[in-house]
Amino acid sequence: NADPNGKTSSQTIPNGLSLIIKKGDVVKADEALNADPNVGGFGQEDSEIVLQNPIRIVGYLAFCLSILVTQITLVLKKKQFEKVQAA
């Protein structure tokens, strides 16, 4: 692959893939090199995993805990109200 400055680059392709290009062909970025659509094209790179912000995770856990406590108190209040009704 040649960039506008004329610099060429190459990519090693693992064995076992059925190629749709030949050695020496000019390809564009992200162009398919083989017939398998699940394997990337020329110029694709592995990217790192982006984790959630820890503050968002703590906030989510606090939110879930508050919902849990609210539900428990509502159930207990309903049981208390049923006891008053039965008396």
Side-chain angles (χ1 to χ4, degrees):
N1 187 17
D3 64 7
N5 299 330
K7 181 182 172 189
T8 61
S9 59
S10 63
Q11 182 170 354
T12 304
I13 300 172
N15 293 332
L17 297 175
S18 56
L19 300 178
I20 57 175
I21 60 165
K22 297 178 200 125
K23 185 174 181 177
D25 284 352
V26 177
V27 294
K28 298 176 185 166
D30 297 328
E31 183 178 340
L33 301 178
N34 58 35
D36 186 1
N38 294 324
V39 179
F42 184 84
Q44 287 188 340
E45 298 177 3
D46 293 334
S47 62
E48 60 189 70
I49 298 172
V50 178
L51 300 176
Q52 285 286 342
N53 185 352
I55 296 172
R56 290 182 67 188
I57 296 172
V58 171
Y60 176 72
L61 291 174
F63 174 73
C64 290
L65 181 65
S66 67
I67 296 296
L68 179 68
V69 170
T70 303
Q71 291 294 322
I72 291 172
T73 54
L74 287 172
V75 168
L76 293 175
K77 186 67 176 175
K78 184 177 180 183
K79 293 285 185 189
Q80 182 187 21
F81 184 73
E82 288 173 354
K83 285 182 183 177
V84 171
Q85 287 286 336

